[in-house]
Amino acid sequence: MNIDDLDLDYRLLRLFLTIYDQGSVTAAAVLLGVGQPTVSHGLERLRHVVGDPLFVRAGRGITPTAHAHDMAPRIRHMLEDMRSLTRIDQFDPNNPQHSLHCTIGANDYEAAVVLSALFACVQSLAADITFKIRPVRRKQDMVDKLRDGKLDLAITLDYGGNASDIMQRSLFDENVQCYFDPRFHPNPPDTLDRYCAASHARIVFDDDDEASAIDAALAKRGRSRRTVLQVATFDNLPRLISGTPVIATLPIRLADSVMAGYAVCRCPVVLPSYRFCQSWHVRNAASRSHQWLRDEIFRIARVIDVKKSGL
């Protein structure tokens, strides 16, 4: 008789384990809610598949064979694995048995404004939560890394894409303002003339030296500014322009972190606000731990918004 190994299905393995635990075919039938002939037929089928009697007579009852004793713990573990396929794992940040290990794509602005608050928050939680922060320089780079699993989540400017496998949630809108050392600017650079007369520092993330939105807006008005310093990160800029007349036009939310200690004024170049979002691949959409993380980031973003509005 040719028996296929795949004849070992879930019901047959559960039947074996119930007989093993109950020590009786009759008791197993009662627990499973089926007739005794059904259990006896299943056991006979299992014997053929395994090639071992599995249970033998012992007085008025039955006792497992040595092979059945060997099978039982492995089948128990196998059934638990099979059950886990049909339920979504729960996540409790206050449960020390739960864990979340996440790689987040973010640059230093997002790290200063959002991730610093997130990291401080998780230190008081009992779950094993760890983060890896990776830079994201281009929108397509973010999408590619989310797709191939190199990133679990990204916090960036709205990438403006329509990829069906990338999900996104808005966090907040941001604007810019001027940062400067008041010792070198008794009159804040809040007029177009003073702004254009000043020396400027700017952030350039990519290797190419493209004109920024500010330069484009100035050009439309027949004006320009002189850029004397370009850096690739926000963190380096305040140290470099400290004690100089150089001004920087940067996001408002950096005033309490990266640019703390600098005087500020409105930017005389009117620009539209820009939106920051968190993005993730659909594979992580139903993950309880990832849902908790995304909700926590959104909560932090709402707190940030309230602080900015002064409400």
Side-chain angles (χ1 to χ4, degrees):
M1 184 175 184
N2 184 21
I3 304 294
D4 193 325
D5 291 341
L6 293 180
D7 284 344
L8 285 170
D9 60 25
Y10 178 88
R11 285 173 293 183
L12 205 55
L13 295 177
R14 180 168 174 254
L15 180 144
F16 163 81
L17 206 56
T18 305
I19 298 172
Y20 181 87
D21 290 340
Q22 296 299 313
S24 163
V25 170
T26 302
V30 172
L31 192 62
L32 293 171
V34 298
Q36 184 171 328
T38 299
V39 176
S40 297
H41 175 75
L43 178 58
E44 189 62 29
R45 181 178 163 209
L46 187 59
R47 284 167 169 161
H48 282 293
V49 173
V50 175
D52 185 87
L54 297 177
F55 301 97
V56 295
R57 292 280 179 190
R60 294 184 177 181
I62 57 174
T63 188
T65 65
H67 189 59
H69 277 304
D70 182 59
M71 285 173 56
R74 291 186 289 164
I75 290 177
R76 201 179 303 279
H77 182 72
M78 186 184 306
L79 292 182
E80 181 57 35
D81 282 347
M82 293 172 73
R83 291 187 194 103
S84 70
L85 295 175
T86 63
R87 63 173 182 259
I88 298 176
D89 291 336
Q90 299 300 309
F91 178 75
D92 179 359
N94 292 305
N95 188 334
Q97 301 302 314
H98 291 190
S99 64
L100 168 61
H101 307 295
C102 189
T103 301
I104 301 175
N107 296 318
D108 51 351
Y109 169 84
E110 297 86 5
V113 174
V114 179
L115 296 183
S116 58
L118 175 67
F119 191 66
C121 170
V122 302
Q123 299 313 300
S124 62
L125 302 176
D128 178 21
I129 301 173
T130 64
F131 298 127
K132 292 180 181 178
I133 311 300
R134 297 286 184 261
V136 179
R137 298 307 187 197
R138 290 180 172 86
K139 296 174 183 179
Q140 190 57 48
D141 180 51
M142 178 200 74
V143 172
D144 292 342
K145 287 181 177 179
L146 287 172
R147 281 176 173 160
D148 63 21
K150 291 180 180 178
L151 293 178
D152 299 305
L153 180 73
I155 304 174
T156 63
L157 286 170
D158 183 354
Y159 83 101
N162 57 358
S164 61
D165 58 336
I166 303 298
M167 305 183 74
Q168 201 172 52
R169 188 180 191 184
S170 297
L171 296 177
F172 52 79
D173 291 342
E174 180 63 292
N175 298 93
V176 297
Q177 63 186 0
C178 298
Y179 294 85
F180 61 97
D181 187 334
R183 295 173 297 174
F184 295 91
H185 296 276
N187 295 312
D190 57 358
T191 68
L192 201 57
D193 286 341
R194 287 197 290 265
Y195 185 81
C196 292
S199 296
H200 292 258
R202 57 174 290 220
I203 305 295
V204 180
F205 289 123
D206 298 331
D207 294 334
D208 51 311
D209 184 19
E210 293 183 355
S212 70
I214 295 174
D215 294 312
L218 286 171
K220 287 183 179 180
R221 303 178 67 171
R223 305 296 292 267
S224 64
R225 62 175 176 165
R226 179 172 177 259
T227 298
V228 299
L229 175 67
Q230 295 184 11
V231 294
T233 65
F234 290 101
D235 283 338
N236 289 332
L237 193 146
R239 289 189 292 270
L240 290 169
I241 68 172
S242 177
T244 77
V246 177
I247 71 172
T249 308
L250 301 173
I252 291 175
R253 288 180 175 84
L254 292 179
D256 296 327
S257 55
V258 175
M259 299 304 293
Y262 280 83
V264 301
C265 69
R266 70 175 187 86
C267 177
V269 183
V270 179
L271 298 171
S273 62
Y274 46 100
R275 178 159 296 178
F276 281 86
C277 301
Q278 56 178 329
S279 305
W280 63 95
H281 193 271
V282 291
R283 80 170 70 85
N284 291 324
S287 166
R288 296 300 189 203
S289 59
H290 285 258
Q291 286 178 349
W292 172 85
L293 178 62
R294 295 193 298 266
D295 288 344
E296 194 64 16
I297 290 172
F298 185 77
R299 181 191 66 78
I300 290 170
R302 295 280 69 76
V303 172
I304 292 169
D305 247 3
V306 169
K307 285 182 178 179
K308 182 192 173 188
S309 64
L311 298 177

